[in-house]
Amino acid sequence: MSKIAIMGAMPEEIEPLLEKVENIKKTEYGKNSYYEATYRGKNIVIAYSKIGKVFASLTATILIEKFGCDRLLFSGVAGAINPDLNIGDLIIADALCQHDLDITAFGHPHGFVPEGEVCIATDKSLRDIAKKVAEKNGLILKEGIIATGDQFVASTDRKDFISSTFQADALEMEGASVAVVCDALNVPFFVLRAISDSANDEAGMDFDAFLESSAKISAEFILNMVESIEP
Ligand code: SAH
C-alpha cells in the first residue's frame, strides 16, 4: 500500500494534521520528529522540516528514503504576489522555482544552475485531485508558480523582482527545494499554500496574525485530498 508524506515547515503547519490522524507513532531521526499515522485507511507520515530550503530538502529526503513515502504533499502558508490572492486564500503550485539561486554573473538566467531547471512542475494527477476536492467543497483554488528562497520577503521591491523574473503568484521558503528532491527521486509531489501575508511592509505583522488560521485552512484541505487519493 502506498505511503503518503505530508510535510510542513513549522509546527503550526502540521499540528492541525496531528489532531485528526490516528495510530500515531513518533520517531526521532536526523534531529527531527516523524509521525507515522493512518487517516481514513491510508498510511501517512507527517513531519515539519524547520524553515528554509536546506531543512526542507533534508526532511523530504528522509520521508522518501527512510520512511518509504511514494507521494509527498506539502501544506503550509505563503506570501501573496498575485493581487487576486488575499489572506486565507489557497494556491497550488503548477511549478516551483528558487528565486534566490543566482549565478547570473555567468550569463545564466535567475534560478538556473547547469543540469537543473528554473521551474519544476508538480504532479498533474495530484493537482487534479485538489481541483476536484475544491469543487466538491465549494472552495476557490488558485493555480500558479510559487517562488522559493531563503528569506522572509517583506518588501515590495523584492516582491516585484520575483514577480517579473519568475511570473510567480506566491512565495515561500521551502517548496522548490522539496520539488528538487521529489523530482530527482521520481516521487509525485504537490504543494499547497494558504496565504498568510502579502510579502509587503506589513508582512511580518500579518504573518504573526494569520499563520495559525491559514495553516489550518491548508491542512484541512490536504486531509480532504488524502481521502481522495487511491491507496
Ligand atoms: N515567525 C517565524 C518565521 C517565519 S518565516 C519565526 O520567527 O520562527 C515564514 C514561513 O512562512 C516560511 O516557512 C515560509 O515558507 C512561509 N512564508 C509566509 N510568508 C512568507 C513571506 N512573505 N516570505 C517568505 N516566506 C513566507
Side-chain angles (χ1 to χ4, degrees):
M1 190 161 103
S2 96
K3 231 193 229 183
I4 305 166
I6 310 181
M7 212 187 128
M10 292 170 285
E12 291 85 350
E13 290 170 328
I14 68 157
E15 271 153 15
L17 301 166
L18 293 175
E19 281 167 17
K20 298 261 169 75
V21 298
E22 289 166 336
N23 306 311
I24 298 180
K25 181 185 160 213
K26 182 178 175 182
T27 303
E28 299 288 342
Y29 188 78
K31 293 196 177 173
N32 209 352
S33 302
Y34 292 82
Y35 302 88
E36 290 170 272
T38 58
Y39 185 72
R40 307 274 156 101
K42 309 262 166 48
N43 289 329
I44 59 181
V45 189
I46 300 169
Y48 77 88
S49 56
K50 301 189 273 286
I51 295 161
K53 294 194 290 182
V54 176
F55 283 130
S57 308
L58 176 66
T59 298
T61 306
I62 290 171
L63 283 164
I64 296 165
E65 292 287 319
K66 182 172 168 63
F67 289 92
C69 293
D70 51 19
R71 267 171 276 197
L72 189 150
L73 312 177
F74 193 104
S75 176
V77 300
I81 298 178
N82 187 321
D84 291 344
L85 283 170
N86 297 306
I87 286 166
D89 288 353
L90 287 166
I91 175 165
I92 61 173
D94 285 333
L96 300 111
C97 59
Q98 298 182 58
H99 68 73
D100 59 348
L101 183 55
D102 183 349
I103 54 166
T104 55
F106 300 95
H108 297 295
H110 283 280
F112 178 84
V113 292
E115 299 178 53
E117 302 166 72
V118 174
C119 274
I120 298 179
T122 55
D123 183 68
K124 184 173 179 305
S125 61
L126 290 173
R127 268 186 266 142
D128 288 344
I129 291 171
K131 285 182 211 169
K132 282 199 193 115
V133 166
E135 205 179 330
K136 199 171 128 199
N137 293 286
L139 293 169
I140 295 168
L141 197 60
K142 188 146 187 75
E143 238 184 310
I145 292 177
I146 295 184
T148 302
D150 280 328
Q151 51 187 233
F152 182 79
V153 177
S155 127
T156 41
D157 282 354
R158 183 69 195 162
K159 186 171 140 171
D160 289 347
F161 163 79
I162 295 167
S163 168
S164 57
T165 310
F166 301 99
Q167 286 73 54
D169 296 288
L171 55 85
E172 35 85 314
M173 302 179 67
E174 298 84 17
S177 59
V178 172
V180 170
V181 170
C182 292
D183 179 57
L185 299 175
N186 253 320
V187 169
F189 73 100
F190 170 85
V191 178
L192 174 72
R193 297 274 182 171
I195 299 302
S196 55
D197 62 89
S198 293
N200 54 14
D201 295 348
E202 286 99 58
M205 267 161 45
D206 284 346
F207 178 90
D208 284 343
F210 298 107
L211 164 64
E212 223 171 289
S213 55
S214 292
K216 198 161 173 242
I217 291 170
S218 178
E220 278 169 5
F221 191 98
I222 288 280
L223 285 178
N224 279 331
M225 271 183 79
V226 169
E227 270 184 70
S228 310
I229 291 176
E230 294 296 325

